[in-house]
Amino acid sequence: MKKILAILMIALAGLTTAQAQEGMDQFQVQVDGLGCPFCAYGLEKKFKEFKGIKNVAIDIETGDFTFSYPAEKALSLDAVEKQVEKAGYTPIAGGVTRSDGTIEALHGEKNPVAVNSTKTVKGKTMVSGNCSMCQARIEKAAMDQVGVQDASWDKNTKILEVQYDETMTSIQAVEEAIARVGHDTEHHKAHKEAYENLPGCCQYERIESKKQNK
């Protein structure tokens, strides 16, 4: 692992000044499980959810995955790692060369230069639901949003607690995603069809969302 990490750090250090001047962060990740062109397509498609991604390159023989991303969005390596996992693959090692020349490694190692920190925040919202099936559905809908790092829903209090990178998503976007799978939230009401498609045990007593009351 250390050998792979060292190679990646050397490669990242070799990125040109011209690339940095473009205002783009340069990412390189070693991905395990890429066995065919279709695998590479699936990984690239998942990362297209990151709006603004450019210069995507995937080598299925070596597992090398590289791309550029706007520095102003401060995409974190944790978010990249989670996105690789959501695509169904395992990130072995990786790093990023920030537009200011800072180099960071996937698991927290970095050079002495100050780095841009992500803007991780926590939020809470009310989400309607009844049971453990509801909990799994609600938490999955939240976690599927790019930038969400953790989500936990309490079926007794109906409160969803979310930890996310506010440069990539918002509590409103999370609520909208949950409403799409059939659960009313504090500010967004699920469509009738989505609610009616829920299993019988999950069809909670509906509430009026604040958004509908405005």
Side-chain angles (χ1 to χ4, degrees):
M1 172 65 75
K2 289 185 177 179
K3 183 177 180 181
I4 294 174
L5 181 58
I7 293 172
L8 285 170
M9 295 297 281
I10 291 171
L12 287 164
L15 290 170
T16 67
T17 303
Q19 286 176 309
Q21 290 176 343
E22 292 175 355
M24 303 290 284
D25 291 338
Q26 313 297 325
F27 289 82
Q28 183 170 359
V29 185
Q30 185 82 21
V31 179
D32 184 39
L34 296 174
C36 64
F38 183 77
C39 297
Y41 170 76
L43 179 63
E44 181 175 358
K45 182 179 180 181
K46 192 65 179 175
F47 269 79
K48 286 295 178 66
E49 294 177 4
F50 288 159
K51 304 303 181 183
I53 191 170
K54 293 182 178 180
N55 305 319
V56 176
I58 302 172
D59 188 325
I60 60 176
E61 292 186 0
T62 64
D64 286 339
F65 170 42
T66 60
F67 64 91
S68 304
Y69 201 71
E72 62 184 15
K73 295 188 177 182
L75 178 62
S76 71
L77 282 168
D78 284 344
V80 171
E81 182 176 22
K82 288 181 182 297
Q83 196 73 349
V84 171
E85 292 172 345
K86 287 178 181 179
Y89 305 103
T90 303
I92 300 173
V96 54
T97 296
R98 300 294 181 184
S99 62
D100 63 0
T102 298
I103 299 175
E104 300 173 40
L106 185 61
H107 298 294
E109 298 181 32
K110 56 195 175 192
N111 66 355
V113 181
V115 300
N116 297 326
S117 60
T118 58
K119 297 181 180 179
T120 300
V121 296
K122 293 182 179 180
K124 295 181 180 181
T125 187
M126 296 290 293
V127 180
S128 296
N130 294 329
C131 60
S132 297
M133 287 179 63
C134 295
Q135 180 180 7
R137 187 181 305 107
I138 291 166
E139 291 178 356
K140 182 180 185 302
M143 289 297 296
D144 281 347
Q145 298 306 296
V146 173
V148 173
Q149 300 162 357
D150 190 41
S152 178
W153 181 73
D154 189 311
K155 66 181 181 181
N156 295 315
T157 64
K158 313 300 182 187
I159 293 177
L160 173 71
E161 296 185 355
V162 186
Q163 180 173 303
Y164 60 95
D165 183 343
E166 67 176 359
T167 66
M168 299 174 63
T169 190
S170 65
I171 195 69
Q172 178 178 346
V174 172
E175 286 192 25
E176 290 174 351
I178 293 170
R180 285 196 293 271
V181 299
H183 292 272
D184 291 346
T185 71
E186 191 169 350
H187 303 96
H188 294 273
K189 190 171 183 178
H191 289 299
K192 181 180 179 181
E193 295 80 4
Y195 172 79
E196 291 179 347
N197 283 334
L198 293 173
C201 64
C202 296
Q203 292 188 2
Y204 51 87
E205 182 178 353
R206 304 203 73 177
I207 60 174
E208 288 295 323
S209 71
K210 292 182 179 179
K211 183 176 181 180
Q212 295 293 321
N213 289 333
K214 289 182 179 179

